[in-house]
Amino acid sequence: MAEIAREAGVSAPTVSKVLNGRADVAPATRERVEDLLRTHGYRRRRGATQSAALLELVFHELESAWAMEVIRGVENVAREEGLSVVLSESSGRLSLGQSWVDGVLARRPIGVVLVLSSLDRAQQTQLTSRDIPFVVMDPAGDPGTDVPAVGATNWQGGLAATRHLLELGHRRIGVVAGPRRMMCSRARIDGYRAALEEAGLGFDPGLVRDGDFHHETGYTEGLDLLRVPDRPTAVFTGNDLQALGLYEAARELGLRIPEDLSVVGFDDLPLARWVGPPLTTVRQPLTEMAEVAARLVIDLARGNKPATPRVDLATSLVVRSSTAPPRTAGSGGAARGGGGLSRSGGGNPA
Amino acid sequence: MAEIAREAGVSAPTVSKVLNGRADVAPATRERVEDLLRTHGYRRRRGATQSAALLELVFHELESAWAMEVIRGVENVAREEGLSVVLSESSGRLSLGQSWVDGVLARRPIGVVLVLSSLDRAQQTQLTSRDIPFVVMDPAGDPGTDVPAVGATNWQGGLAATRHLLELGHRRIGVVAGPRRMMCSRARIDGYRAALEEAGLGFDPGLVRDGDFHHETGYTEGLDLLRVPDRPTAVFTGNDLQALGLYEAARELGLRIPEDLSVVGFDDLPLARWVGPPLTTVRQPLTEMAEVAARLVIDLARGNKPATPRVDLATSLVVRSSTAPPRTAGSGGAARGGGGLSRSGGGNPA
């Protein structure tokens, strides 16, 4: 630290202020010191300063019931460990502003759990040099192999959802997907595609719409998708909120669920059980994922290396009442149960 | 402070440790110092110590979509003011444990927003003596006239919901209420009762069931209520989650909403718009209430006295598709719109 102070031409207490995210350092000085910390690969000695009994939880956005499941998981672990949770929102930007990092440095938490947010390299270095570990939960992009991350088996979820619809006899299966730029969303569509291919069906881009994980796009994209000639008899949606938007589109068009349209969601939020009809969906264990992420960051703070940098928890299909065999010409519908892939015909393979 | 140290027979730094919630003070010493702080009416000089840029948000329980609306409001204000939010849960107990107060004293936040939680007198004194202001949002009980509180006009909400049903022509109107020990819940039932009396109808305790604000009791109590002979044609529920439980009970009994049963909720959570049919409900402006509570606590931290210790924000009825005129013998239903109180007969005034 003395060496960095000398090279930067400042006093040791000034370097200390920068390390602690204090506001009373000139921006140019701060930048010079940060650069030197980076080039020297400085890492604060473990235990050199006391961490506060805080765990930081940072969301991309706090807008949905989804966030609540994650908060609950982190709170569960924090309570057990006698820690308090500091909650922030990166306000819809996928990368965090600098002022947030300064706040973290000043608060000196045990560690940071980032949800769908990412840090750039400079920010990662800042946290690492202060010995503040971080874990990314359900990364939107590819956080890099050296960043500990907790996710879910999204590809398998898309596969299971689509196989379920194929087994019921559906052949024209649409998708109202989540945002394409998010990896979790892409993996779900790829799972859908893999199930179609497995069943010998082609992938029809005309049956795929992009949403943004909100109810509104489930409705607008759903309406659009259900108005195509020879509309799909089943739709797999990017998440449960989009599934509810699709419910509304179906109501508006006079289509009954599941008689006229089968719907599968993703996440299994509490509301999936409560809507009418109760939603068949792919369960993503959000609370458990958050617990694993929180435990991982606490483990890192104690100096333990994780066995593997990335953990994906299993998704599972939860069958409720929003899926049924398609009503095809001649079948009159309702030939439910035990539908093999090759049995009930119906629909044109796209 | 020197005087308190002398009376307690400890050093001034020990008194300081107690003031700052530090763990390294013997319990008996801590208690003696706290007693003296209380009897002397000690209050830390404003600005004597630096507060951290933290706002504490404490929930009775973090279990529902309800909590998300509140978190968002506090986050909105915190972001504007450059503060971070520390989130805790009092784990279902309505009064907070001592360890939480020690944590708050050590963290030295700007202030505390308590949601449905209450502090006992000793805890209130502890925060006050450290110059940490607090505000109670939507108090479960009566927090005392000297405690700043933010609520909603619950009584008016119950009145508006019931008047709406009366105007549609309903006469047998049931209630699946929230927990009776919570003041907000009692006020809603009293508003319901007042509307019945205004319409010249008696209050029938046989049509009122108690729930606990969760989906499950909306279902179980709803089933029970809908199975009575001469069942109600409309039900006012304690909150939106209970309304969804009632939806499920109605589906199970083969009752259509709104044709066979009208339902009114309370809160207007996002999901009220998304369910089928979209729920008529009393909007409680939770995010705005949380914003007002956060601003109030920041105001108190700046030394401003609030104009009034208690603020109640207005509730408002949001009419969607879960309410309609009752189908009465002879009417065949659907005599919708402009229903006066005395017109469509139907049902026995209880």
Side-chain angles (χ1 to χ4, degrees):
Chain A
M1 211 168 98
E3 193 184 324
I4 285 168
R6 196 166 46 242
E7 281 195 47
V10 299
S11 67
T14 299
V15 176
S16 171
K17 280 180 182 177
V18 173
L19 281 169
N20 295 323
R22 290 266 298 272
D24 50 349
V25 180
T29 308
R30 180 190 301 272
E31 207 178 311
R32 200 160 66 245
V33 173
E34 287 286 358
D35 281 349
L36 286 164
L37 290 170
R38 194 159 43 239
T39 51
H40 283 261
Y42 174 88
R43 283 200 64 161
R44 177 178 267 165
R45 217 170 53 253
R46 188 167 301 277
T49 52
Q50 182 95 35
S51 298
L54 297 174
L55 203 55
E56 298 267 340
L57 173 61
V58 187
F59 278 92
H60 166 48
E61 60 179 17
L62 266 173
E63 253 196 80
S64 86
W66 197 96
M68 202 64 238
E69 302 299 299
V70 175
I71 291 172
R72 206 182 311 157
V74 173
E75 268 287 328
N76 288 346
V77 173
R79 204 167 42 240
E80 275 178 41
E81 299 281 340
L83 301 171
S84 294
V85 176
V86 177
L87 190 70
S88 5
E89 192 184 10
S90 58
S91 313
R93 294 160 300 161
L94 277 176
S95 126
L96 292 160
Q98 183 54 35
S99 66
W100 174 82
V101 172
D102 285 334
V104 172
L105 301 182
R107 284 191 290 277
R108 273 185 283 177
I110 295 285
V112 182
V113 175
L114 296 151
V115 183
L116 274 179
S117 286
S118 41
L119 297 174
D120 61 33
R121 276 286 149 189
Q123 292 169 329
Q124 291 186 19
T125 308
Q126 282 183 290
L127 292 182
T128 307
S129 64
R130 274 74 167 187
D131 200 28
I132 298 174
F134 57 93
V135 171
V136 182
M137 181 178 149
D138 202 26
D142 188 342
T145 50
D146 55 340
V147 174
V150 178
T153 58
N154 290 295
W155 185 87
Q156 282 84 347
L159 184 79
T162 313
R163 276 185 178 165
H164 168 64
L165 293 168
L166 289 164
E167 280 168 13
L168 288 169
H170 293 277
R171 287 297 171 272
R172 282 187 70 73
I173 301 172
V175 178
V176 179
R180 209 66 77 105
R181 71 197 152 81
M182 291 197 189
M183 297 310 279
C184 61
S185 198
R186 285 197 215 176
R188 290 170 202 178
I189 305 176
D190 284 348
Y192 153 83
R193 185 185 199 129
L196 291 183
E197 283 167 5
E198 181 188 48
L201 299 174
F203 175 81
D204 178 358
L207 290 181
V208 179
R209 299 285 184 284
D210 288 346
D212 62 359
F213 282 153
H214 292 289
H215 176 270
E216 180 67 17
T217 53
Y219 170 71
T220 54
E221 298 300 320
L223 263 187
D224 192 52
L225 181 62
L226 295 177
R227 278 174 175 153
V228 299
D230 196 14
R231 60 168 178 79
T233 59
V235 179
F236 170 45
T237 59
N239 69 357
D240 291 348
L241 296 185
Q242 289 188 180
L244 293 197
L246 184 68
Y247 270 40
E248 191 177 328
R251 274 198 301 274
E252 191 166 315
L253 298 174
L255 299 173
R256 288 162 307 159
I257 297 170
E259 293 84 350
D260 304 317
L261 181 71
S262 285
V263 179
V264 182
F266 206 105
D267 282 344
D268 195 25
L269 298 180
L271 55 79
R273 296 192 303 274
W274 302 336
V275 295
L279 180 67
T280 295
T281 189
V282 177
R283 177 169 166 72
Q284 175 170 218
L286 294 166
T287 302
E288 291 84 349
M289 286 160 69
E291 287 173 352
V292 168
R295 292 205 181 288
L296 183 52
V297 91
I298 291 169
D299 235 37
L300 289 166
R302 291 182 179 143
N304 304 321
K305 277 257 163 275
T308 155
R310 163 130 198 160
V311 186
D312 278 345
L313 301 197
T315 54
S316 56
L317 183 73
V318 181
V319 178
R320 297 201 180 94
S321 315
S322 65
T323 46
R327 288 155 61 94
T328 54
S331 87
R336 190 153 192 170
L341 278 184
S342 55
R343 205 173 39 104
S344 45
N348 302 323
Chain B
M1 210 168 100
E3 194 184 323
I4 286 167
R6 199 166 44 241
E7 282 195 46
V10 299
S11 67
T14 300
V15 176
S16 171
K17 281 181 182 175
V18 173
L19 281 169
N20 294 323
R22 290 264 299 273
D24 50 350
V25 181
T29 308
R30 180 191 302 273
E31 207 178 309
R32 201 161 65 242
V33 172
E34 286 288 359
D35 280 350
L36 286 164
L37 290 169
R38 191 157 47 239
T39 52
H40 282 262
Y42 173 87
R43 284 200 62 160
R44 176 178 267 162
R45 217 171 53 252
R46 189 166 301 279
T49 51
Q50 182 93 36
S51 298
L54 297 174
L55 202 56
E56 299 266 342
L57 174 60
V58 187
F59 279 93
H60 165 49
E61 60 178 16
L62 268 173
E63 255 195 78
S64 86
W66 197 96
M68 202 64 237
E69 303 297 299
V70 174
I71 291 172
R72 205 182 312 155
V74 173
E75 268 287 328
N76 288 346
V77 172
R79 204 168 43 242
E80 275 179 41
E81 299 281 339
L83 301 172
S84 294
V85 176
V86 177
L87 190 70
S88 6
E89 191 184 10
S90 58
S91 313
R93 292 160 302 160
L94 277 175
S95 130
L96 293 160
Q98 183 55 34
S99 67
W100 174 83
V101 172
D102 285 333
V104 172
L105 301 181
R107 286 191 289 276
R108 272 183 286 179
I110 295 284
V112 182
V113 175
L114 296 150
V115 183
L116 274 180
S117 285
S118 41
L119 297 174
D120 61 35
R121 276 286 148 189
Q123 291 169 329
Q124 291 186 19
T125 308
Q126 281 183 291
L127 292 182
T128 307
S129 63
R130 273 73 167 189
D131 202 27
I132 299 174
F134 57 92
V135 171
V136 182
M137 182 177 148
D138 200 28
D142 186 341
T145 50
D146 55 340
V147 175
V150 178
T153 58
N154 289 295
W155 185 86
Q156 282 84 348
L159 186 78
T162 314
R163 275 184 179 164
H164 168 64
L165 293 169
L166 289 165
E167 280 166 15
L168 288 169
H170 293 277
R171 287 299 170 271
R172 281 186 72 73
I173 301 172
V175 178
V176 179
R180 208 66 77 106
R181 70 197 153 79
M182 291 197 190
M183 296 310 279
C184 61
S185 196
R186 284 197 217 177
R188 290 170 201 177
I189 305 177
D190 284 348
Y192 154 82
R193 185 186 198 129
L196 291 183
E197 282 168 6
E198 182 188 49
L201 298 175
F203 175 82
D204 178 357
L207 291 181
V208 180
R209 297 286 184 282
D210 289 346
D212 61 0
F213 283 155
H214 292 289
H215 176 270
E216 178 67 16
T217 53
Y219 169 72
T220 53
E221 298 300 319
L223 263 188
D224 191 53
L225 182 62
L226 295 176
R227 278 175 173 153
V228 298
D230 196 14
R231 61 170 177 76
T233 59
V235 178
F236 170 46
T237 59
N239 69 357
D240 291 348
L241 296 186
Q242 289 190 178
L244 293 197
L246 185 67
Y247 270 40
E248 192 179 329
R251 273 198 302 274
E252 191 166 314
L253 297 174
L255 299 173
R256 289 161 307 161
I257 297 170
E259 293 84 349
D260 304 316
L261 181 71
S262 286
V263 179
V264 182
F266 206 104
D267 282 342
D268 196 24
L269 299 180
L271 55 81
R273 298 193 302 275
W274 302 337
V275 294
L279 180 67
T280 295
T281 190
V282 177
R283 178 170 165 69
Q284 175 169 220
L286 293 166
T287 301
E288 292 84 349
M289 286 160 68
E291 286 173 353
V292 168
R295 292 209 180 286
L296 184 52
V297 91
I298 292 169
D299 234 40
L300 289 166
R302 289 180 181 145
N304 303 322
K305 276 257 162 275
T308 153
R310 163 129 198 162
V311 187
D312 278 344
L313 300 197
T315 54
S316 57
L317 184 73
V318 181
V319 178
R320 296 200 180 93
S321 315
S322 65
T323 47
R327 291 156 58 94
T328 53
S331 87
R336 189 154 195 170
L341 280 185
S342 55
R343 207 172 38 105
S344 46
N348 303 321

